[in-house]
Amino acid sequence: MPNMQMNKVPMPEACPAERRRSFEEVARGYTAEDAILEAQRCLNCKNKPCVSGCPVQVRIPDFIAKVAEGKFEEAYTIIRGTNALPAVCGRVCPQENQCEGKCIRGIKGESVAIGRLERFCADYHMANMAEQNKTEPAADALRVAVIGSGPAGLSCAGELAARGYRVTVFEAFHIPGGVLVYGIPEFRLPKAIVQAEIDNLKAMGVEICQDMVVGRTVTVDELFDEGFAAVFIGTGAGLPGFLGIPGENSCGVYSANEYLTRVNLMKAYREDYSTPVLKAKRVAVVGGGNVAMDAARCAMRMGSDEVSIVYRRSEAEMPARKEEIHHAKEEGIIFRMLTNPVSIAADERGFVTAMTCDVMELGEPDASGRRRPMPTGEQITLPVDAVIVAVGTSPNPLIRMTTPGLDTDRRGCILAPDGVSTSREGVFAGGDAVTGAATVILAMGAGRDAAEKIDTYCKNKFGLN
Amino acid sequence: MFKIVEKYALNTTTDYLSVYAPRIAAKALPGQFIIFRLHEKGERVPLTIAGYDREAGTVSVIFQKVGRSTMELGECRVGDEILDFVGPLGTPSHLDGYCRVAVIGGGLGCAIAYPQAKYLHEHGAKVDIIAGFRTRELIILEKEMAACADTLTVLTDDGSNGSRGLVTDGLKAKIEAGADYDLVIAIGPPVMMKFVCLLTREYGIKTVVSMNPIMIDGTGMCGGCRVTVGGETKFACVDGPDFDGHAVDFDELIRRNRMYQTQEQEARDQHCNLMKMADNAEN
């Protein structure tokens, strides 16, 4: 008999008053008892609607059944069969729009907490796993270059290594992980988790080369010259967009990328690191997505007195996950909706003092299907000493500038008609570099698809690997 | 890890450093830069490439010990390893097709101007170098610059080398004497570049400047290095570091470069105090 409780077993969380100044993980994770109790809520539906909502088709009811039996390692193995980074996905996937959005239990009451259970299994595995034996690809294995070590690159590398290829991952930064380490903050995704996933790949024989800017240090064509049979481009969407308003280059105006990189990757929140970042008293974060929530919650943790989210539409249109909005509010972030920045003022030394915004109202739906924000004619001026711009990113131009014959669209996204094959033979791409800024799980799915296509390509061209 | 293969002082505040980095040495061109991170807790600091030896696989930089990270780099010895050394970053300088060029270097800027002058000289352009320093003790690369210039003018703010003046005075004298430059390259403190550009604008001479703003990654992902050029925001790390000097908003650049002045001062003081304590402990 399933557990017919209407609500999910609650997630243990650090209390808002304490955590708003701490970089420790907010959601503490289920205990084994919590996990079993929650797993028993699953009805094990015959047609598995949850699986159809998962971009990598994790066998959800199967792994949940194992959790209910207390066979956590077996549950982990089932997840790992189709998902290369379960500890990451369990934490950052927008489950409410994916697997959990399709859950029958969600029709009346709350859906099964699939994400929390996935995280539990992955954390259980990490805490209990035996030292992994290092495996090496065969001496004559074909070599594949993976550019970028974010979700797309890591999942592609893992899948290729599992298929016997000798994989080298090239990362421009000094630490691998891409957006998982520079973008998503420690309190939402501890960096030790990402590192453990990367160590996993290394144990599978994947080589990771940091400090390698493909497009500068080496080009895609030179990688082929060096003997790589195929190249996967998973360079994400790292080029920050700005508002294009007067005063935006004042001191104290950051892209969310820069602010988050200083705080997360470069650990500006720790005294023992040399990274400088302005300790602002009043911070405005412009944007309504998950990145805006991350930036705002980081600013609060860096000691700001007042942090506000400034968004030109209303809360209903915000692209951020409900859970992130909820956490941000709990931590005291102010939400200024229907507020659109028009100019930033600075003092004589060039430091930000205020941001003036149009007060907006919602009109008719626009191309995105959301109601278009229109200025009311009224303006407000917010006194702030830092502004963080989180209004989206687009793919980095370095590779398309230096790879002749690689077709891209107007936004700089790599064209891949089947999702992963590009206009260049032997060159595959996936994740945000193809789709524009999207989610971790979609990028991982693309990385996996690309690995399959690369495998087929290599087998056709070079014979059996 | 990147091994330091050569290191010596050019003056009391400026060091020359050569690093074994064959991949970067193979591709580096004048005008490009590297980013180094000395140790696990260090900053990422951009430095313009001063030279490269493709055969030996080495890349050299010249840097002034002005902040904590450059001071720490200055304390390294030959044989020590730098944790991260990334490059070559930025778009190489466009130096082909010029006949008569004035290369202006201000202080440490000479370290960046020198490889450009050398390239131009080797490719047949007539090159006048005008180098400015605060005082005689700070003069660097005098011999090297003399070897790749048709004329070399070295000026000091205080006249301690016998030639008092600003680089703009030197440039103006050359132009007035009839030098018909088709390009002026100005590399140095932003305020120097600003005044060179004001001067060359009067004469209608194309002027290229090299930016060295604050940045993290050097690949276009942080946007910290943005500069206004011709009213448009550009990223110095990918669109530059060279820009049309007549279009750059130097005042904005000067303000942005001072963004962390307070923090930098504190970090420097902390570091200096620590080193002093270490010295005293040894004695």
Side-chain angles (χ1 to χ4, degrees), chain A residues 217-423:
Chain A
T217 316
V218 67
T219 63
V220 168
D221 287 295
E222 286 162 349
L223 289 174
F224 283 113
D225 294 344
E226 289 184 19
F228 287 100
V231 173
F232 173 74
I233 305 171
T235 45
L239 195 75
F242 285 92
L243 298 161
I245 60 173
E248 199 168 17
N249 290 348
S250 305
C251 300
V253 182
Y254 289 99
S255 71
N257 264 4
E258 179 180 3
Y259 188 78
L260 290 170
T261 300
R262 284 183 184 277
V263 174
N264 298 324
L265 184 86
M266 305 297 294
K267 307 233 181 303
Y269 66 91
R270 282 175 50 169
E271 282 290 315
D272 54 341
Y273 279 72
S274 312
T275 315
V277 68
L278 290 182
K279 299 277 190 320
K281 293 261 178 291
R282 277 187 285 211
V283 180
V285 179
V286 183
N290 289 323
V291 174
M293 301 303 133
D294 284 344
R297 296 172 71 195
C298 277
M300 181 57 86
R301 283 162 173 78
M302 292 302 290
S304 300
D305 296 335
E306 186 189 295
V307 180
S308 50
I309 294 276
V310 173
Y311 183 53
R312 65 199 181 109
R313 301 177 194 255
S314 79
E315 193 175 318
E317 288 83 28
M318 273 193 150
R321 294 181 66 193
K322 291 276 171 299
E323 181 183 316
E324 303 306 327
I325 294 171
H326 170 72
H327 277 151
K329 283 186 173 170
E330 276 189 335
E331 289 165 13
I333 312 283
I334 300 162
F335 280 60
R336 296 184 200 279
M337 299 296 99
L338 295 166
T339 309
N340 192 30
V342 290
S343 67
I344 294 167
D347 63 16
E348 68 285 353
R349 295 177 311 138
F351 282 78
V352 173
T353 54
M355 182 165 78
T356 300
C357 307
D358 276 340
V359 176
M360 313 294 276
E361 62 188 357
L362 292 179
E364 295 300 308
D366 62 13
S368 74
R370 299 177 295 178
R371 292 178 64 191
R372 184 194 301 275
M374 319 269 281
T376 58
E378 195 191 329
Q379 286 196 330
I380 52 162
T381 295
L382 308 171
V384 289
D385 48 6
V387 175
I388 301 171
V389 181
V391 294
T393 55
S394 54
N396 187 291
L398 279 180
I399 287 187
R400 69 169 184 264
M401 277 163 41
T402 55
T403 311
L406 183 71
D407 293 346
T408 54
D409 70 9
R410 217 164 26 88
R411 298 173 303 154
C413 298
I414 297 171
L415 290 175
D418 66 352
V420 292
S421 305
T422 73
S423 55

Side-chain angles (χ1 to χ4, degrees), chain B residues 77 275-283:
Chain B
R77 293 175 192 160
M275 295 314 285
K276 261 186 222 151
M277 278 162 66
D279 280 350
N280 292 339
E282 274 171 31
N283 294 340

